[in-house]
Amino acid sequence: MTDTAPVQDAAPAADASSEKPHHGYITDKDRYLARLKRIEGQARGIYRMVDQEQYCIDILTQVSALTSALESVALGLLDDHLKHCVVDAVKLGGDEGEAKIKEASDAIARLVRA
């Protein structure tokens, strides 16, 4: 999502065990949910187009739009993950930072293959 607000770095709480961890996308959660709701509607629209035997190229155009919308959400989530979860883990150091970097690299590889 290109219109996301910058993610603020969360300072670790004094007693982090009592707090629920926050993910990087949390500041844009409502925007992500609204976008996913629109994507859901697009998918239902494609279903109707096939059910009504619409022209193939028109359906493919909508599939392309849906794919782009999903990619936009994925890239926004990845950006938020890198700026929040990975940065925080690297600041803490040790194995956690390395694990988050590997996790992000694996996610990028899955997105590139898709």
Side-chain angles (χ1 to χ4, degrees):
M1 302 179 82
T2 58
D3 59 342
T4 59
V7 176
Q8 305 260 330
D9 287 338
D15 183 15
S17 62
S18 66
E19 291 188 16
K20 182 179 174 187
H22 294 287
H23 300 291
Y25 64 84
I26 200 73
T27 58
D28 292 320
K29 180 180 174 182
D30 290 338
R31 218 176 319 189
Y32 280 115
L33 290 174
R35 185 65 182 128
L36 289 168
K37 186 168 235 153
R38 286 192 301 271
I39 288 169
E40 183 180 22
Q42 284 178 287
R44 282 192 305 272
I46 293 169
Y47 177 92
R48 280 191 301 275
M49 289 177 79
V50 171
D51 187 49
Q52 296 170 0
E53 300 177 9
Q54 299 283 323
Y55 185 55
C56 301
I57 297 301
D58 294 340
I59 296 169
L60 290 171
T61 299
Q62 292 306 310
V63 168
S64 177
L66 180 61
T67 301
S68 293
L70 283 170
E71 287 173 354
S72 177
V73 169
L75 290 173
L77 288 169
L78 179 61
D79 186 58
D80 289 339
H81 180 68
L82 291 171
K83 289 178 180 175
H84 183 270
C85 302
V86 174
V87 168
D88 288 349
V90 169
K91 284 179 184 176
L92 293 174
D95 293 339
E96 181 69 18
E98 290 296 322
K100 289 291 182 188
I101 291 171
K102 170 131 179 44
E103 182 182 61
S105 294
D106 291 347
I108 292 167
R110 285 190 302 273
L111 286 172
V112 170
R113 282 193 297 261

